[in-house]
Amino acid sequence: SVQFVDIREPAEIAAGTVAGAVAVPRGLLEFAADPDSPSLKPQFSAGKKLVLFCASGGRSALATKTLTEMGFTDLCHIAGGFTAWKAAGGKVGEPG
């Protein structure tokens, strides 16, 4: 019922991500989420709650605002980002 979205850059993701997260760099987010885009990632239209995160929470907060403006309603971001996720003992794995 939840889809994690890692908006960090590929070099940042190399050290791991939230298990099962889809990797979409922040600069490509609008293309990956737009249903009319040839770059649409199916995870954005799967009907799941989107949970965005970056390294520390700043980029994901802005990305959440952008997706809300695009019409997405069931989404949030991880305050503190991937750093907070790991510190809290969250499961770390490869992008899905």
Side-chain angles (χ1 to χ4, degrees):
S1 64
V2 172
Q3 175 62 63
F4 288 94
V5 181
D6 190 339
I7 65 163
R8 297 176 299 154
E9 294 299 316
E12 295 174 284
I13 296 171
T17 189
V18 172
V22 60
V24 179
R26 174 60 193 97
L28 300 176
L29 182 65
E30 288 88 340
F31 300 106
D34 182 353
D36 295 325
S37 170
S39 300
L40 173 69
K41 293 241 182 209
Q43 293 90 339
F44 286 92
S45 58
K48 295 181 178 181
K49 180 175 186 154
L50 301 174
V51 180
L52 283 65
F53 66 95
C54 60
S56 62
R59 286 176 285 176
S60 59
L62 294 172
T64 299
K65 181 180 183 295
T66 297
L67 289 182
T68 299
E69 291 169 352
M70 289 177 66
F72 287 85
T73 57
D74 197 11
L75 72 162
C76 64
H77 83 106
I78 299 175
F82 187 61
T83 303
W85 176 265
K86 288 193 321 184
K91 189 173 178 183
V92 176
E94 298 293 319

